[in-house]
């Protein structure tokens, strides 16, 4: 019946019972005695392996017995249901062929490896259970996000990564150039002659697609980005990477409340989608990576997220009697310890903290009537802290210009952004979700390096 | 009944008949006499506008009459079906409010603008019919691609954009750095001291995710990338951008034929999906942008794609009697004129040209038994020429190493790529689709700058 995909077999094993089937895949485990042996084959389509029994009636039994882990094999044999065994079914091989040999120095032997070691073989680690699960969940979560927004008629917009605007202000940037660094061209004033660079001016990698996304929201109403973002920050933590993916939805005619509704629905949708589509992988995480995972995710999908103002949150923290490393006063930026205390100890579920002091938030956030706080909201989740940041955007040209002056931002650098307020200003809101943070949250993996196929961090751009 | 989305109204206008509805949107056209007027409102959710009739019984009739195009408005009024009129329905306004004013110097007035001019107002052009249609189709096509692969259980993999491998060989690269270009640090030999750079070595923006994707195909069987790619080529054409998006599927256990089957199914799927989901936009393109569009797309979805070897194709071209600018000989790289002749004049449908001479193809393509050609195939389509390039990959370590030596490639640079052939080598194939080429093909737009929200090309990184 031609090659069968292992995923299909697991869907309805009964269909294959008693039939001769063909499977191609990679040897995950093998053990053999003098007259028979067992192999577990993974064909990449599914988290679980399929067991193959082979016996000395095979003409190449001796050769097969010596197959090395990770060899590529072709199996033909009878498919047998085994209701009384550990595995649900197996193949009784009538033919075993070596399609591609492996070597004895294969670096991913059966014994348990540290995550640190596995990072040094990032080209092989997706063949391990942990990373097979992580990267399949990553793929499903990405699709869940697209599906969530497309089902709601949001337009997907690819905002540019190369930007000549030096003024995004969300973090340290990488410079992109085609100039010869051995011989940087100078202009008459002795500065760098960027007219010789590829774009004729200094160019960086973007730290956010939000401002560009706003231009599209004022044409298409509801839009979202989903693409790579960069930070050249020299921070060697488990939560920061130099290259990561962001989702930035932007909605015209939406107020702060509307953003929170959409973000809450999105988070629940992603969790439900992945739980449904990758039950084996999620089971694995809950068992081996983070024993509280299911409880935590269940708590998220089954509760309405709380909403509390920053001012209320600060009051709660001050009255808590808790000793924090960073003392709490109105006006401070909440630290992870504060965020986790609020969501884990006080509310015991995800919460939006709203209406932050303007001085700790970005220039484009809408000023509240108190003239002290802005219509911003961060989503805090148990176990992590902040996972989403968003706001209503300042649509009033005069207020926005005033705020930019206060902060010393040059209007020329933002001419097109300001024009959105000149030609049909529109109330609108949006938010940003760090995709890798979401994957860490979904899987219980605690280092961002372990949810990115080939992570880029300070001092490390291997592979 | 709260704000209604125009897209919803167009789905089932009957439901709203006789009811009072509320709509918020932007004024696309307005004309008024002394006692009544008409506005067309677009709310971003849908390609088409909704007509609003307003009369002097409105207390602010005079003010409304002077609304400027692109103003943001709120309308309340009776929804009326108008079976005898040009538009299918209209709103008889009982209330019109100005939510956000526009200005008389709004650069996107009703008169027709050139595409070149519209590029200078890329922040506003999605509000025009043409770009509203282009970018909604772009969004739908992106989703169609994800859906096509996810429905087939392909794993989506985000390959890195920052790469320290200087050796990808697919085109000119941008350098990424945090060094101070005014004061580039030097090492003892007088070269650039890259140990001071962010990643501790020279780093570029990737030109392809394929080699990384192969590592995942040998774990997950079927994978695909969909992300940005960069070329620092100084070519000022209508078909090249410095930043563009690529789809790169990679399939283990797949031969050249299998890649062609998947690519053909994918192209047809994208076309059918967009035709179904954006009939109004596609109608617009067929009417105003490219009058042969529907005929061309229909031809693609309803024919089996042809398959012809490079050697046969060269014979056909040589015997054609056609005068080509570039003379045809076995061994040349086919030019667009040759490609279009084959697909438009000879086969009159999309064709795969297979088995190209090894010397004009990349090192990783699988050597055929003749030792002269490789198992590569390009998809040529009428009206454009090449739209997809792919191949079976060389899985045989000795053959691959031999080929790399011939081409002077350093094995150390590819150690992890070579290890895929050492630990369970597996037949596999893959291809690359330039996303923007596909959008140009779907829409009839002839300049790549007009299918990218904020295009980056030589000398231009505006916005």
């Amino acid at each position: 019946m031609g090659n069968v995909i292992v995923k299909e077999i697991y869907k309805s094993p009964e269909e294959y019972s008693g039939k001769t089937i063909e499977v191609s895949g990679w040897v995950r485990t093998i053990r053999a005695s003098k007259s028979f042996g067992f192999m577990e084959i993974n064909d990449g389509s599914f988290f679980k392996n399929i067991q193959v029994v082979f016996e000395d009636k095979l003409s190449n039994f001796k050769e097969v017995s010596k197959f090395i882990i990770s060899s590529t094999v072709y199996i033909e044999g009878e498919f047998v249901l085994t209701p009384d065994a550990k595995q649900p079914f197996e193949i009784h091989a009538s033919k075993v062929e070596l399609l591609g040999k492996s070597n004895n120095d294969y670096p991913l032997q059966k014994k348990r490896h540290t995550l640190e070691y596995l990072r040094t073989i990032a080209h092989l680690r997706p063949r391990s259970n942990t990373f097979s699960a992580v990267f399949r969940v990553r793929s499903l979560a990405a699709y869940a996000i697209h599906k969530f927004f497309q089902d709601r008629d949001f337009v997907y917009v690819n905002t540019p990564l190369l930007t000549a605007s030096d003024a995004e202000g969300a973090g340290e940037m990488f410079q992109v150039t085609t100039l010869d660094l051995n011989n940087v061209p100078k202009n008459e004033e002795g500065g760098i002659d960027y007219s010789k660079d590829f774009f004729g001016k200094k160019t960086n990698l973007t730290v956010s697609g939000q401002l560009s996304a706003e231009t599209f929201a004022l044409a298409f109403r509801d839009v979202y980005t989903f693409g790579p973002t960069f930070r050249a920050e020299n921070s060697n933590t488990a939560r920061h990477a130099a290259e990561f993916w962001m989702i930035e939805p932007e909605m015209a005619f939406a107020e702060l409340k509307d953003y929170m509704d959409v973000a809450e629905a999105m988070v629940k949708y992603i969790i439900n989608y992945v739980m449904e589509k990758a039950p084996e992988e999620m089971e694995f995480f809950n068992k081996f990576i983070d024993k509280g995972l299911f409880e935590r995710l269940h708590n998220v999908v089954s509760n309405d997220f709380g909403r509390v103002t920053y001012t209320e949150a600060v009051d709660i923290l001050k009255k808590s009697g808790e000793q924090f490393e960073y003392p709490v006063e109105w006006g401070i930026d909440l630290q992870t310890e504060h965020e986790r205390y609020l969501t884990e100890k006080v509310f015991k579920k995800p919460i939006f903290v709203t209406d932050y002091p303007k001085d700790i938030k970005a220039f484009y956030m809408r000023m509240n009537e108190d003239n002290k706080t802005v219509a911003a909201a961060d989503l805090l989740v148990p176990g992590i802290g902040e996972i989403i940041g968003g706001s209503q955007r300042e649509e009033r040209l005069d207020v926005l210009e005033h705020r930019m002056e206060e902060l010393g931002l040059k209007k020329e650098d933002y001419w097109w952004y300001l024009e959105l307020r000149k030609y049909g200003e529109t109330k609108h809101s949006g938010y940003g979700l760090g995709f890798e943070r979401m994957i860490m949250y979904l899987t219980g993996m605690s280092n961002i390096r372990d949810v990115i196929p080939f992570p880029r961090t300070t001092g490390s751009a291997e592979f």
Side-chain angles (χ1 to χ4, degrees), chain A:
Chain A
M1 56 199 294
N3 257 271
V4 173
I5 302 290
V6 171
K7 188 186 171 94
E8 295 304 318
I9 298 176
Y10 270 93
K11 270 187 201 156
S12 49
E14 308 74 25
E15 271 184 40
Y16 299 91
S17 180
K19 290 186 182 155
T20 297
I21 67 168
E22 301 165 44
V23 169
S24 297
W26 297 279
V27 177
R28 278 285 182 88
T29 68
I30 180 164
R31 59 189 196 282
S33 70
K34 271 189 186 165
S35 56
F36 66 95
F38 300 95
M39 270 187 275
E40 285 185 279
I41 305 298
N42 190 290
D43 80 340
S45 69
F46 194 59
F47 184 65
K48 293 192 172 176
N49 305 320
I50 185 161
Q51 172 152 298
V52 176
V53 187
F54 57 97
E55 294 175 28
D56 55 6
K57 68 180 179 197
L58 291 179
S59 61
N60 59 347
F61 174 76
K62 276 199 175 160
E63 188 207 326
V64 173
S65 298
K66 288 175 189 150
F67 280 179
I68 292 166
I69 289 177
S70 182
S71 298
T72 321
V73 293
Y74 165 85
I75 310 285
E76 206 176 288
E78 189 192 357
F79 184 84
V80 179
L81 294 174
T82 53
D84 299 328
K86 208 179 123 203
Q87 74 290 349
F89 42 74
E90 59 194 22
I91 301 176
H92 292 181
S94 50
K95 194 171 176 184
V96 177
E97 275 176 29
L98 183 68
L99 297 180
K101 64 180 194 311
S102 185
N103 272 278
N104 275 320
D105 59 352
Y106 181 59
L108 196 65
Q109 297 294 340
K110 210 190 155 190
K111 67 176 158 72
R112 283 199 100 161
H113 298 289
T114 64
L115 296 175
E116 288 74 16
Y117 169 71
L118 290 171
R119 280 175 217 146
T120 68
I121 50 166
H123 60 310
L124 301 174
R125 68 177 177 169
R127 304 177 186 192
S128 70
N129 280 332
T130 302
F131 289 95
S132 167
V134 166
F135 292 123
R136 202 184 307 271
V137 162
R138 183 178 167 117
S139 168
L140 291 168
Y143 187 60
I145 290 165
H146 279 295
K147 189 161 159 49
F148 176 84
F149 287 113
Q150 295 271 343
D151 284 352
R152 281 157 188 77
D153 290 322
F154 281 58
V155 169
Y156 178 41
V157 50
N158 297 133
T159 51
L161 303 196
L162 299 172
T163 171
S165 134
D166 204 14
E168 305 197 7
E172 293 291 313
M173 297 173 94
F174 288 102
Q175 184 169 356
V176 176
T177 184
T178 52
L179 294 178
D180 177 1
L181 266 55
N182 277 306
N183 190 10
V184 176
K186 303 278 173 169
N187 57 27
E188 288 179 1
E189 294 84 47
I192 298 160
D193 182 4
Y194 281 113
S195 74
K196 301 276 196 323
D197 208 348
F198 190 88
F199 294 108
K201 53 177 84 169
K202 187 166 188 253
T203 318
N204 298 304
L205 285 174
T206 190
V207 293
S208 162
Q210 179 200 314
L211 304 194
S212 312
E214 284 186 49
T215 69
F216 269 59
L218 295 203
F220 290 107
R221 191 177 196 108
D222 294 331
V223 304
Y224 70 109
T225 74
F226 190 171
T229 315
F230 305 87
R231 295 286 152 84
E233 266 149 39
N234 203 335
S235 59
N236 205 352
T237 82
R239 286 161 54 90
H240 293 88
E243 175 180 340
F244 56 99
W245 285 60
M246 286 266 285
I247 297 98
E248 297 183 286
E250 197 69 35
M251 295 160 279
F253 304 104
E255 297 178 359
L256 191 66
K257 180 194 165 304
D258 302 309
Y259 131 53
M260 292 191 280
D261 291 344
V262 172
E264 178 170 343
M266 181 199 71
V267 168
K268 291 175 174 175
Y269 186 88
I270 299 171
I271 294 172
N272 284 328
Y273 187 87
V274 170
M275 292 291 287
E276 186 197 323
K277 297 286 181 180
E280 292 81 8
E281 284 83 352
M282 295 304 287
E283 196 83 53
F284 174 86
F285 292 126
N286 191 55
K287 211 163 162 183
F288 297 109
I289 303 292
D290 176 356
K291 288 198 194 305
L293 183 66
F294 278 0
E295 194 188 331
R296 183 155 52 81
L297 296 180
H298 181 74
N299 175 272
V300 172
V301 292
S302 54
N303 279 298
D304 289 339
F305 295 3
R307 298 183 186 188
V308 58
T309 67
Y310 169 91
T311 302
E312 290 162 353
V314 165
D315 275 353
I316 292 168
L317 291 168
K318 284 173 80 168
K319 287 179 186 152
S320 69
E322 188 80 8
Q323 285 296 326
F324 294 110
E325 193 185 337
Y326 295 89
V328 178
E329 269 315 318
W330 198 96
I332 65 155
D333 209 353
L334 297 182
Q335 301 296 316
T336 303
E337 57 170 340
H338 309 134
E339 294 174 342
R340 293 190 57 172
Y341 184 84
L342 287 166
T343 181
E344 291 167 22
K345 300 283 162 58
V346 181
F347 289 89
K348 297 185 171 62
K349 63 179 185 178
I351 55 166
F352 286 102
V353 176
T354 68
D355 304 294
Y356 285 81
K358 64 175 183 179
D359 293 334
I360 57 170
K361 288 291 181 185
F363 76 94
Y364 51 73
M365 297 190 175
R366 194 177 196 279
M367 191 68 68
N368 285 329
E369 283 187 15
D370 62 16
N371 221 18
K372 279 165 50 189
T373 60
V374 288
D378 287 353
L379 175 62
L380 315 182
V381 291
I384 288 217
E386 186 206 326
I387 193 165
I388 287 177
S391 74
Q392 188 166 340
R393 317 310 190 185
E394 184 58 78
E395 86 281 12
R396 297 161 297 187
L397 185 59
D398 54 341
V399 181
L400 183 61
E401 287 186 334
H402 178 70
R403 188 76 186 121
M404 287 173 67
E405 276 162 28
E406 272 184 8
L407 295 168
L409 298 172
K410 281 188 234 156
K411 284 189 221 170
E412 314 85 86
D413 292 343
Y414 297 87
W415 68 272
W416 53 271
Y417 189 69
L418 292 169
E419 281 198 355
L420 300 180
R421 280 72 183 166
K422 193 176 164 193
Y423 302 122
E425 66 176 47
T426 308
K427 191 165 66 179
H428 60 292
S429 298
Y431 63 96
L433 166 69
F435 184 51
E436 282 78 9
R437 291 265 171 98
M438 188 71 212
I439 304 302
M440 291 166 74
Y441 193 61
L442 279 170
T443 60
M445 298 297 287
S446 55
N447 195 309
I448 197 168
R449 290 166 182 79
D450 297 328
V451 299
I452 299 178
F454 299 94
R456 272 74 180 100
T457 53
T458 317
S460 175
E462 299 309 311
F463 301 98

